[in-house]
Structure formats: structure tokens, C-alpha cells
Amino acid sequence: MRDHSFISEVHKTLQHHIRGRRVQVLSHWGGDADSVGSAYVMCRLLTQNYEATEAGFLIPEESALHVKAIMQHLRFEEKPVETPDVYLLVDVGSPHLLGEYKDNVYGSGKPIISIDHHVKTVENSETIALVSPKYLATAEIVYDLVEYLNLVIDKEMAEALFLGIYYDTVRLSIGDEEVASKASKLLQKINPYSVLGMLEPRGDDAERIARLKGLRRATFYRLGDWFVAVSRVNSYLSSVARTLVNAGAHVALVAGEKGEHTILAARGSYDFQKFSGIGLGNDLVSYLLRRFEGDGGGHVGAARLRLKAPVEKVIEEAVKGLSMLLSTPAVELAE
Ligand SMILES: [Mn+2]
């Protein structure tokens, strides 16, 4: 167990708040393997071990494709809880990541518990924060909780927790001995061939078209040692941003229109996250929120913003912001 006293605090908090209550579990927007894997196991623990009368899970905004695949595989469905008594946020680094549900949750006056491994932010002050950045994934916290409760891990739980840990450690590449030992225990109950493919689903035609359009419309900048790709599409923004990072960009900025707002999705490559010293979810987001009205959040390698400004303006400012944060001019790559 990575941090026994933290896990015992998680346990005591749940014991205190969950019994006889209706619990709405929420992930960050779009979800990912970590938030969904953790939520799946937590929903089971809440009813089976902490005696919640009801537990339902919701993902703000549109679910990522791999999330849909994992949920289908686990036969885990989204379920809104009517008049919840408690909210449980899983892997939600900042209230902004609740997107459309943020005002409901934070305006409810009900206890909000957050189980997470991201760095605690000031905004979390209203929340009962069970947060430990020592953990490499929220699924790793849940793994330790399951061990703390002395439960037998079945195949579905093993799959959910393994996918969460594997995804958040970038295929274990940023893992340590502790994570390796947990992963190896989980793997004994899993057929990797049948589950790992879910992390790279092929996608439907609409997403494929958005990615291809995103590639065709992309322009590229060099900022010192870093390459930044910029593009615009009106749907599947994060998917397009991931595609551009896979193609070699260190940062991808993808913007699109949604009503009177511009949505901006940013993704950073693994080396950008590790060596640039810049967090997209904090540095770039606060840079843009100083210039435009709107909201946004994220973590080191991913950000999403909703801004009241035209797409061109947002893109222009985002590139300028990166250039300022990296203290190097942005030079557009010639054809
Ligand atoms: Mn996570």
C-alpha cells in the first residue's frame, strides 16, 4: 500500500458520509480510462461495502470513445441519481472539469467528496478532498482501498483498475515498482488482448472525418525546440488534438465554435509535459482566462476552455500565450 494513513482517511470519510445515502458519482469531462475504471469499482463499493442506498455515475460532456468502449465492456452505464444526498467526484482535478454539472453540484449545498491524485487546487476548498498526488492514478487509490477492505478482486474489477492505472501511467512508462507490483497482480486476472484494444478504439466515421479534416486544416509553428500544431473543427476536438500530438506535435491546439462560444482543446505530448515546465491546464488556461471571458481547466497535459471570443482570436492568443510562457517566438513553418 502506497499510503496507509491516506487510505484509512478515505475509508473513514466514506464510512461517515455514504451509509443510507444516494450518491451521485461524477468523472471529469469526457472521462478517461482512469476516471471510469475508478468510478466502476467505487460504485460497487459504495453500495456493497459502504451501504449507499443508490449509486449512479455520470460523465460531463461527451464521453471519449475509449470510455464508451470500456463502459460497454464492463456493462457499466451512466445513471443520474435523482436528488442525490452526496456527490463523489472521481479523478476530477478541478471543479471546472465538471463542465455542465459544475453549477448543480457546487450549488447543491450537499457534501462533495473528491477522490483524486491531481495536485490540490485552491478552488477545492468547499470539497472534502481525499487527494494524494503521491498516487499515479485514481485507480491506484481505489486499488489500495480495495486491499484495505480485504476484498477479493474479480475479473471486472481487475480490468477496470488495470486500465485506469495503465492509461494514467502512459502504459506504465511513468510507473514505479509499487505500480508494477499492482499491475502484475491485476494482470493475473486479465486477458490483455481482450482489454488493451479498448484504449485505441477505431472510432466511427464522424470522428474519423473530424480527424482527417483537422489534419488537412492544420498549421504548424516552431517555438524554440517545441512544435505546436493548430487546427479547427467543430466536433471531436480532443480526438483531433490527440491525433496531432501522435503525428509529432508537442502541443496541439484545436478550436471550434459552439453557439456563441469558442471551445479550445489543448493536448501536450509526454515530453512536453515532462520537460517544458508549463502546464496546459493551469498556465495556458489562466493566460487565456485573463484575456477572454469564459471558463476552463485541465491538467498538465490537457486543457479545455470555453471562451466568449471568435475562433481566430482564441487561436491567435493561445499561440501567443505559449510563446510567452516558453519565452520564445512562434515561427510558422513554411510549406
Ligand atoms: Mn487520473
Side-chain angles (χ1 to χ4, degrees), residues 28 32 34-35 91 116-118 136-138 168:
H28 55 76
D32 64 13
D34 188 31
S35 67
D91 201 41
D116 187 28
H117 67 117
H118 297 98
L136 301 186
T138 301
D168 257 33

Side-chain angles (χ1 to χ4, degrees), residues 22-43:
R22 294 177 296 255
V23 188
Q24 182 70 67
V25 180
L26 288 143
S27 143
H28 55 76
W29 43 250
D32 64 13
D34 188 31
S35 67
V36 166
S38 303
Y40 168 77
V41 177
M42 281 313 301
C43 281

Side-chain angles (χ1 to χ4, degrees), residues 103-122:
D103 295 341
N104 265 343
V105 173
Y106 277 86
S108 69
K110 298 287 162 61
I112 304 164
I113 303 171
S114 168
I115 298 186
D116 187 28
H117 67 117
H118 297 98
V119 186
K120 216 186 280 190
T121 60
V122 225

Side-chain angles (χ1 to χ4, degrees), residues 261-279:
H261 289 97
T262 291
I263 308 288
L264 178 75
R267 285 288 183 285
S269 68
Y270 173 61
D271 42 349
F272 187 83
Q273 295 180 39
K274 200 162 175 192
F275 300 115
S276 72
I278 290 173

Side-chain angles (χ1 to χ4, degrees), residues 2 134 136 140 169 172-181:
R2 197 181 284 278
K134 282 189 211 163
L136 301 186
E140 197 203 351
T169 57
L172 302 178
S173 65
I174 57 165
D176 56 8
E177 290 85 349
E178 171 98 20
V179 150
S181 124

Side-chain angles (χ1 to χ4, degrees), residues 33 54 60 62 72 76 114 157 189 194 198 226 230 233 333:
E54 193 185 344
E62 207 197 329
Q72 206 173 28
F76 183 40
S114 168
M157 273 188 180
K189 304 191 175 178
S194 76
M198 287 190 290
W226 304 111
V230 171
V233 287
L333 286 192

